[in-house]
Amino acid sequence: MDWSIVWKAALALSGISLLFGVLLAVADMKFAVEIDPRIDDVLSVLVGSNCGACGFPGCQAAAEAVVEGKAAADVCLAGGPDIAREVGRIMGVDVEAKERGVALVFCKGGLTESPLRAVYQGINSCSAASKISGGGKACDYGCLGLGTCRNACPVNAIIIDPDHRRWINRDRCTGCGICVDVCPRDLIQMVPRDQEVLVVCSNRDKGKVARKLCSVSCIACRKCEKVCDFDAIHVENNCARIDYEKCTQCGKCIEECPNNVIVRVVPPRNYKPVTSAS
Amino acid sequence: MGLTRQIRRTLLTKGGVHPKTHKYTASMKIAPGPNPERMVIPLSQHIGAPCEPVVEPGQRVLVGQKIGDSKAFVSAPVHSSVSGEVKSIGQFPHPLGNHGLAVEIASDRSGEISPDVRPAGDRVNMTPDEIRRAIREGGVVGLGGATFPTHVKLSPPEDKPIELVIINGAECEPYLTGDHRLMVERTADVIEGALLIRKAVGAKRIVIAIERNKPDAIEVMNDSRKGDDFEVVVLPARYPQGAEKTLIKSVTGREVPAGGLPMDVGVVVDNVGTAVAVRDCIYEGMPVVERIVTVSGDGIAGRGNLKVKIGTSFHELIEYCGGYKGEKGKLLMGGPMMGLAQYTDSVPVIKGTSGIIALAGETVFRQEPAHFVCIRCGRCVRRCPMNLLPYQIGDYCDAGMWEQLEGLNIEDCVECGCCSYICPTKNPLVQLIKVGKEGLDKRKKKIESLSSD
């Protein structure tokens, strides 16, 4: 056996690999992409569910935008004040603690309370149904119950029961606000986390009409307005609305409401009042 | 010559479907409609800005009197179709959506005509501007169903000269026969209307496009046409032959560019009904207060082509035709392909109501709300007259992936319904596309608001 073939081949291969090695090393130095180490730091403190509520395609993009200065430190809507503060610490800016709300569907009527006026056949989505003569629900302003918000929620906080009633898991809700955007009837709104007394209706019909269409509708009787000692509840456009800053959660209006539209909800279990930035 | 042209037209007509025509009312003469006591006339019967009411409750109005007007250019005034007293102005059910502002009139059934109704002039003496103004005052909109204000359509910008006026007599929707009857019974008026439209846009030629399945209309049109610049074009019968862009391609071979208008290829398309309305508005001064409505379907005892006063409720009209028959299925405004399902028959007839179709319970296809299931057969792609990819658009719309819709030209969809009709898995493709158009719009707005911050 001619050993020269072996060592020649070994030499040639080592030579080639050395050459490529040097080339790669040079290329790496020459075309190096500078990555701000803060991007990784920011990314590690973000929620990481890639919900997209901030408007950026995922948490990585949001982190890059923060570091590049295209977005503020409180970019992460789902993260809330704690994460905003954490991002602010990495970026070296002070972040004002902002309270994240919790989503609530302002409609109480399921199929039992507000029966169907027509049979809807089509795509299982509220935005599709609302384009066909307003879907099947009798009330023009009520929840269609087909689950567009449930499908959009990145943390599965919304449940819709067979009677088309919605239940939002207030412990899970991060307050990202995606459901607020997708609801074709604008029924979902953010309410402060410590607000317990709420008017769960979005009706704009006159009381006489509303009473016919739904048994749990606000009929604008103004009894709540009269009973409130703090001037915190007012009827606008045939529906009562609470001024959350004035409301003291006393619950007098709940007892007075003839249609049981005003309810007391349990605050989220993980709720803790926002303290000033530390 | 004639034969090669026919072959060319057949070859040009890509896509489309052939639903059963159900044109039971094709040989029924246009009959007068009911004269009800209560009229509800919506103030938004057209594409564009809704009208503001110009009458007050308690005021007496006469036939042809203006009851609503708007200052916007893309809008058309609304007129009273009866004489009587304005009872109220408020929200009433509207056939195109939930509710809309409307004027409720208690009719005295005398039909007293307003002194405002007087001839505007004639074709020879009027200038194009005068014709357009008269058309606007007469509240003429596209009576084929799209209800686009006609005076806007007839005001092309100077850099886009109009060479050809196409009068659309295709009437490809199943059941509907109103345009067909107009062409047979009011041939001279259709032609006069077409000549007026031609004068308004300064075009040279007029083409009346009729589908092959209306031989009597083709014959009378051929007999009464005047001059060489007036042509009757016979088109193969298929749906959607009467859709504006499909029609232009079939007649001229020109394709309207994506996102463009017929005026980009030098064409104006107007419906037969619109041509007659233009003629009535100029020569008699009578604004659009009546229209031909085809009442048909196996859910109604009688059927026919009726001249109906705008504002008559569907209920009144159906009772006039003998009432409902059998189990109630679906009530549609318009044809079965593009028509809108109604949840109540208390909605009024508007300018865009080309037909009222009541389908009996057993003939209606029932389907539970479902998600998109595609077997990739590609039939929708072959049938789409706009050369889109409905299955792909539908897939993205169902998933809510609006960003993927860019580049698929979803805005070009004419919502004709061929894809939904042909789909073997019964996917509601058109509905998905309608949702997608809205979703894409919302996304664009969101991006704009983000980038402006």
Side-chain angles (χ1 to χ4, degrees):
Chain A
M1 182 164 181
D2 188 358
W3 285 96
S4 69
I5 295 173
V6 175
W7 68 256
K8 269 182 195 161
L11 201 70
L13 282 173
S14 333
I16 291 169
S17 46
L18 192 72
L19 183 73
F20 279 126
V22 170
L23 272 177
L24 280 173
V26 169
D28 187 40
M29 275 185 275
K30 189 149 170 102
F31 304 113
V33 180
E34 296 231 349
I35 296 172
D36 198 321
R38 290 179 300 174
I39 291 178
D40 279 343
D41 294 345
V42 172
L43 184 61
S44 65
V45 296
L46 291 182
V47 169
S49 61
N50 290 323
C51 69
C54 54
F56 293 99
C59 295
Q60 171 80 37
E64 283 168 16
V66 170
V67 174
E68 284 167 23
K70 283 183 191 158
D74 57 355
V75 64
C76 184
L77 297 177
D82 289 346
I83 286 178
R85 232 174 277 140
E86 198 66 13
V87 174
R89 194 181 50 75
I90 297 166
M91 296 301 298
V93 289
D94 274 340
V95 179
E96 216 175 293
K98 244 194 291 177
E99 175 62 86
R100 298 293 317 150
V102 61
L104 185 90
V105 183
F106 278 76
C107 172
K108 209 183 165 194
L111 291 179
T112 322
E113 290 86 8
S114 178
L116 295 176
R117 68 180 177 198
V119 185
Y120 169 70
Q121 298 168 343
I123 312 160
N124 215 350
S125 118
C126 306
S127 37
S130 69
K131 292 177 93 69
I132 301 181
S133 300
K137 194 73 169 264
C139 174
D140 280 345
Y141 306 100
C143 172
L144 293 163
L146 295 173
T148 295
C149 53
R150 175 192 54 199
N151 299 343
C153 181
V155 291
N156 294 336
I158 305 175
I159 298 160
I160 293 179
D161 72 10
D163 200 36
H164 283 190
R165 265 187 296 254
R166 291 72 40 193
W167 305 98
I168 292 189
N169 188 332
R170 292 163 72 87
D171 297 335
R172 278 196 160 190
C173 178
T174 57
C176 68
I178 288 182
C179 51
V180 178
D181 285 348
V182 297
C183 180
R185 294 203 157 170
D186 294 330
L187 293 177
I188 310 183
Q189 281 175 26
M190 289 293 162
V191 292
R193 287 196 173 235
D194 53 350
Q195 181 67 29
E196 292 175 26
V197 179
L198 293 158
V199 184
V200 193
C201 184
S202 300
N203 161 57
R204 266 173 282 164
D205 278 329
K206 286 207 173 106
K208 203 176 145 195
V209 183
R211 196 198 293 268
K212 267 188 217 158
L213 298 177
C214 177
S215 63
V216 284
S217 60
C218 176
I219 52 169
C221 65
R222 293 176 193 266
K223 278 186 183 166
C224 49
E225 241 179 57
K226 282 171 204 140
V227 81
C228 183
D229 297 331
F230 306 96
D231 191 33
I233 188 160
H234 292 283
V235 174
E236 297 161 16
N237 289 330
N238 299 320
C239 188
R241 278 283 166 266
I242 294 175
D243 184 338
Y244 301 132
E245 284 181 6
K246 286 184 184 165
C247 179
T248 57
Q249 332 272 2
C250 69
K252 267 191 187 173
C253 48
I254 300 177
E255 284 154 32
E256 203 61 36
C257 183
N259 264 11
N260 297 323
V261 186
I262 312 179
V263 295
R264 185 183 286 279
V265 293
V266 192
R269 239 176 292 155
N270 56 359
Y271 171 70
K272 43 184 192 294
V274 177
T275 49
S276 57
S278 48
Chain B
M1 180 63 194
L3 186 67
T4 49
R5 266 186 162 178
Q6 284 298 333
I7 293 168
R8 197 177 121 245
R9 284 204 178 106
T10 312
L11 289 176
L12 276 174
T13 53
K14 185 253 167 195
V17 291
H18 299 90
K20 199 170 172 231
T21 57
H22 293 286
K23 303 234 184 210
Y24 311 116
T25 50
S27 56
M28 295 170 83
K29 279 216 169 86
I30 296 171
N35 191 2
E37 275 179 352
R38 179 177 171 269
M39 300 298 249
V40 176
I41 305 176
L43 288 167
S44 177
Q45 303 189 24
H46 47 263
I47 294 176
C51 290
E52 300 284 330
V54 295
V55 288
E56 278 162 14
Q59 188 181 334
R60 183 170 158 75
V61 289
L62 302 172
V63 177
Q65 185 178 339
K66 197 187 276 183
I67 56 173
D69 204 350
S70 164
K71 287 198 178 72
F73 178 58
V74 185
S75 186
V78 177
H79 301 80
S80 173
S81 56
V82 287
S83 59
E85 193 184 311
V86 177
K87 265 173 81 184
S88 66
I89 297 168
Q91 296 285 325
F92 289 93
H94 192 284
L96 297 183
N98 266 344
H99 287 91
L101 199 62
V103 178
E104 187 187 8
I105 299 172
S107 166
D108 58 12
R109 291 185 170 179
S110 67
E112 196 182 331
I113 292 172
S114 157
D116 299 342
V117 176
R118 52 174 182 269
D122 61 40
R123 175 162 48 89
V124 186
N125 296 329
M126 286 177 91
T127 64
D129 264 344
E130 282 171 350
I131 296 178
R132 274 195 285 270
R133 213 171 302 134
I135 288 174
R136 194 215 166 263
E137 284 308 303
V140 181
V141 298
L143 295 181
T147 64
F148 189 75
T150 302
H151 68 277
V152 181
K153 210 183 222 180
L154 301 187
S155 316
E158 276 183 16
D159 56 327
K160 285 175 185 164
I162 302 296
E163 176 257 333
L164 172 69
V165 172
I166 301 178
I167 299 299
N168 182 356
E171 201 161 54
C172 51
E173 273 270 1
Y175 288 99
L176 306 185
T177 53
D179 291 351
H180 182 180
R181 289 315 301 175
L182 272 179
M183 286 190 286
V184 173
E185 290 177 34
R186 299 189 62 184
T187 320
D189 294 345
V190 171
I191 291 172
E192 191 52 49
L195 293 171
L196 280 163
I197 292 168
R198 181 174 71 169
K199 176 139 191 194
V201 293
K204 285 193 208 74
R205 293 193 294 138
I206 298 177
V207 161
I208 295 201
I210 310 173
E211 273 192 356
R212 199 177 289 149
N213 59 5
K214 302 175 187 61
D216 48 345
I218 297 166
E219 199 186 320
V220 291
M221 275 296 166
N222 260 326
D223 288 348
S224 44
R225 75 194 162 106
K226 306 165 185 165
D228 289 337
D229 48 7
F230 203 106
E231 196 187 349
V232 177
V233 166
V234 182
L235 299 168
R238 58 138 188 177
Y239 178 89
Q241 190 64 271
E244 200 171 54
K245 289 170 186 172
T246 325
L247 189 71
I248 292 170
K249 190 160 184 208
S250 303
V251 172
T252 64
R254 295 172 211 168
E255 201 165 308
V256 179
L261 290 167
M263 62 171 77
D264 293 331
V265 291
V267 180
V268 154
V269 182
D270 267 309
N271 183 263
V272 169
T274 316
V276 173
V278 166
R279 184 253 162 215
D280 286 354
C281 165
I282 305 272
Y283 281 86
E284 287 169 18
M286 183 55 86
V288 182
V289 294
E290 286 181 323
R291 68 153 298 140
I292 314 297
V293 177
T294 303
V295 182
S296 189
D298 48 9
I300 303 182
R303 49 171 76 114
N305 300 302
L306 303 176
K307 194 168 192 182
V308 182
K309 293 179 170 61
I310 283 160
T312 310
S313 79
F314 281 24
H315 178 78
E316 199 83 42
L317 201 52
I318 289 164
E319 287 301 312
Y320 184 76
C321 289
Y324 291 104
K325 191 175 74 180
E327 188 207 339
K328 282 181 198 173
K330 232 177 210 181
L331 181 65
L332 299 170
M333 183 187 94
M337 297 294 284
M338 281 188 81
L340 290 157
Q342 302 297 324
Y343 66 87
T344 166
D345 60 5
S346 65
V347 291
V349 168
I350 59 167
K351 288 176 187 172
T353 310
S354 46
I356 296 176
I357 314 293
L359 300 171
E362 63 272 13
T363 49
V364 176
F365 173 71
R366 300 246 178 231
Q367 190 181 26
E368 287 297 306
H371 274 291
F372 187 78
V373 187
C374 178
I375 58 167
R376 298 291 193 274
C377 66
R379 284 188 210 181
C380 53
V381 180
R382 283 202 296 278
R383 302 294 186 165
C384 179
M386 300 310 290
N387 297 323
L388 302 175
L389 305 172
Y391 77 100
Q392 202 168 15
I393 297 175
D395 217 346
Y396 288 136
C397 291
D398 190 50
M401 295 161 76
W402 314 128
E403 67 279 7
Q404 299 287 333
L405 291 172
E406 279 164 21
L408 288 174
N409 292 331
I410 183 170
E411 300 88 354
D412 287 340
C413 171
V414 295
E415 299 171 10
C416 66
C418 287
C419 46
S420 303
Y421 176 82
I422 208 75
C423 181
T425 45
K426 310 283 179 228
N427 282 318
L429 283 156
V430 181
Q431 205 194 356
L432 282 165
I433 292 173
K434 284 182 187 175
V435 175
K437 282 182 179 172
E438 197 190 19
L440 197 60
D441 255 18
K442 266 192 184 172
R443 181 182 137 80
K444 275 181 188 156
K445 277 190 195 126
K446 193 170 179 187
I447 290 174
E448 269 168 31
S449 70
L450 278 177
S451 56
S452 66
D453 282 349

